[in-house]
Amino acid sequence: MKTEFDVSLKKYNTFGLDYKAERIIHLVSEKETSVLLSEDYEWKEKFLTIGGGSNLLFTGDFKGTLLHPVIMGIDIIEDQSGDVIVSAGSGIVWDDLVKWTVENGFSGLENLSLIPGNVGASPVQNIGAYGVEVSDIIEKVDTVRVDNGEPRSFDNSECGFRYRYSIFKGEEKGRFVVTRIFFRLRRNPVYRLDYGSLREEVNKLGDVNLLNIRRSVINIRRNKLPDPEITGNAGSFFKNPVVPEELAEELSRNYPGMPVYNEKPGYKKIAAGWLIEQCGWKGKRIGETGTYGKQALIIINYGNATGSEIFEFSENIRRSVLSKFSIELEREVEVVPSI
Ligand code: EPU
């Protein structure tokens, strides 16, 4: 365990905001996490667990404690009849894990290549891209209870997974620290190529195989999304709204080009980026913040934005979409108040 005080947050958030945290505790193992959390500490009232900081918007200094799991290790736990169970520590960089699975010929995560962040955050917001959500592949999630340090495992069905949602960001928020995740992968791959231009990209590279799918996803992402190392951003700022079928149908009649996807029965999902673009926000810059020119769903920091500026900008977008389409956008990014 390593503790630092008065720490710059710059490398802990992909918006690149330069606030400070009072304290950060780096946790290297499950055991250490359990021992630490078994004690009563006042800081438990004011703490936040962070991974790669790719889904956070700090709006000021964080006058509390950050828990930062740096738990490592990728292991094959079971390898039977085509299924391979692999466990990965929550501190591993997500794309390092995806790369490892592809190099080993295990299928499941290849469509999720190059998503920023750490393994530990993947179930929290149920990351997804190109027709796959991580909940399709997660077997179980190991955690430690914040109040008493006891280990607790959640099977996939106990995680309450939905689109960009799990109980870890819902009813159990702040009650568990994710330490290790178990994935059910396959030696006999099942390819999922039906999202957007993915199949076309793979065909350009030749054979349909795990490596070519990974390469294609990387190409599409590099082409469409800003690299947080260069331009501060946190990926999609809002979720794609899920609306009742009747509203989607009415809007489709008025806007025939509107992208609509199937959801649970009676509901449709609409592309938030399209809604935002229709309101005139695509590529728009105000001061140090704006939306990305190729993807209106992504809010970027031109370099010197403040967290509050980005937040205000996003609220203006939300108001526009509400007034034009009567749809309330929900944030995907977590706004961290300056406590
Ligand atoms: N679109 C527009 N204008 C825009 C942006 C998008 O018209 O400014 C249209 C596109 O033309 C397309 C549709 O909206 O018809 C969907 O766009 P895209 O394929 O880019 O995907 P998305 O729905 O905007 C979601 C995820 C992304 C993920 C991609 C690919 C959410 C909130 N976002 O974006 O995830 O990479 O699909 O699967 O679900 C993230 O979560 O941070 C993220 C980047």
Side-chain angles (χ1 to χ4, degrees):
M1 192 171 87
K2 187 176 153 210
T3 304
E4 294 174 89
F5 296 90
D6 203 22
V7 190
S8 163
L9 289 172
K10 203 164 168 114
K11 64 174 185 183
Y12 297 106
N13 75 102
T14 56
F15 268 119
L17 298 167
D18 200 6
Y19 294 118
K20 285 193 162 175
E22 218 164 72
R23 173 166 51 175
I24 185 165
I25 305 176
H26 307 279
L27 297 159
V28 301
S29 69
E30 281 97 329
K31 177 110 197 291
E32 194 177 87
T33 308
S34 268
V35 170
L36 175 80
L37 295 176
S38 65
E39 303 277 336
D40 281 331
Y41 291 108
E42 241 174 66
W43 60 254
K44 287 187 183 177
E45 298 296 317
K46 261 195 199 177
F47 85 98
L48 176 72
T49 306
I50 58 162
S54 52
N55 206 41
L56 293 178
L57 175 61
F58 289 101
T59 51
D61 289 340
F62 187 75
K63 297 181 198 73
T65 294
L66 296 175
L67 292 182
H68 183 226
V70 284
I71 302 171
M72 306 309 276
I74 302 179
D75 296 288
I76 297 173
I77 303 296
E78 212 181 287
D79 189 353
Q80 273 176 4
S81 45
D83 277 12
V84 187
I85 308 274
V86 166
S87 78
S90 55
I92 294 169
V93 170
W94 173 259
D95 195 53
D96 291 349
L97 170 66
V98 177
K99 184 162 179 271
W100 183 93
T101 62
V102 168
E103 282 169 357
N104 281 277
F106 304 153
S107 108
L109 302 181
E110 58 281 0
N111 292 38
L112 306 180
S113 291
L114 211 64
I115 294 183
N118 289 358
V119 166
S122 66
V124 176
Q125 49 159 337
N126 189 14
I127 59 171
Y130 308 104
V132 175
E133 290 186 337
V134 75
S135 57
D136 302 337
I137 295 101
I138 285 180
E139 181 77 1
K140 66 168 179 155
V141 178
D142 278 1
T143 70
V144 171
R145 268 176 70 157
V146 170
D147 61 347
N148 63 10
E150 275 176 22
R152 160 97 198 259
S153 260
F154 289 84
D155 287 340
N156 181 302
S157 63
E158 294 176 295
C159 296
F161 288 126
R162 298 201 297 268
Y163 167 60
R164 293 294 193 280
Y165 180 87
S166 74
I167 54 166
F168 304 115
K169 69 181 276 192
E171 58 265 39
E172 302 293 357
K173 189 170 166 22
R175 296 188 58 204
F176 298 92
V177 174
V178 174
T179 50
R180 195 168 295 276
I181 301 174
F182 295 72
F183 300 91
R184 181 175 289 273
L185 304 165
R186 299 172 63 108
R187 282 191 178 275
N188 310 315
V190 178
Y191 301 123
R192 275 149 301 183
L193 301 173
D194 291 329
Y195 188 96
S197 60
L198 183 55
R199 187 181 301 273
E200 213 176 295
E201 281 291 324
V202 177
N203 287 337
K204 270 195 237 162
L205 294 179
D207 290 348
V208 178
N209 57 41
L210 295 180
L211 189 58
N212 279 344
I213 295 176
R214 174 168 165 78
R215 284 192 184 131
S216 302
V217 168
I218 290 176
N219 290 344
I220 297 172
R221 290 189 76 96
R222 289 225 168 106
N223 196 16
K224 220 169 175 179
L225 307 173
D227 179 353
E229 294 285 331
I230 299 164
T231 308
N233 79 92
S236 304
F237 197 91
F238 299 103
K239 296 186 202 176
N240 286 331
V242 175
V243 304
E245 209 160 28
E246 302 79 59
L247 175 58
E249 278 164 9
E250 189 193 318
L251 286 171
S252 287
R253 276 194 294 277
N254 297 335
Y255 302 94
M258 184 177 81
V260 183
Y261 309 96
N262 287 330
E263 253 293 313
K264 55 192 173 187
Y267 291 86
K268 296 276 180 194
K269 191 150 74 181
I270 299 179
W274 184 89
L275 295 169
I276 295 168
E277 181 176 347
Q278 295 302 306
C279 293
W281 286 100
K282 190 170 185 171
K284 191 157 178 165
R285 174 174 180 168
I286 299 179
E288 284 296 306
T289 189
T291 60
Y292 192 52
K294 294 183 191 171
Q295 231 298 5
L297 189 49
I298 294 174
I299 298 184
I300 59 177
N301 174 4
Y302 276 96
N304 295 307
T306 64
S308 314
E309 208 179 327
I310 295 172
F311 177 72
E312 279 312 318
F313 184 83
S314 77
E315 286 295 287
N316 284 331
I317 291 178
R318 231 151 71 100
R319 281 191 281 270
S320 289
V321 171
L322 182 63
S323 96
K324 189 171 169 78
F325 294 103
S326 306
I327 291 176
E328 191 121 25
L329 290 181
E330 227 182 276
R331 276 187 297 275
E332 184 187 313
V333 166
E334 183 181 348
V335 176
V336 186
S338 173
I339 56 162

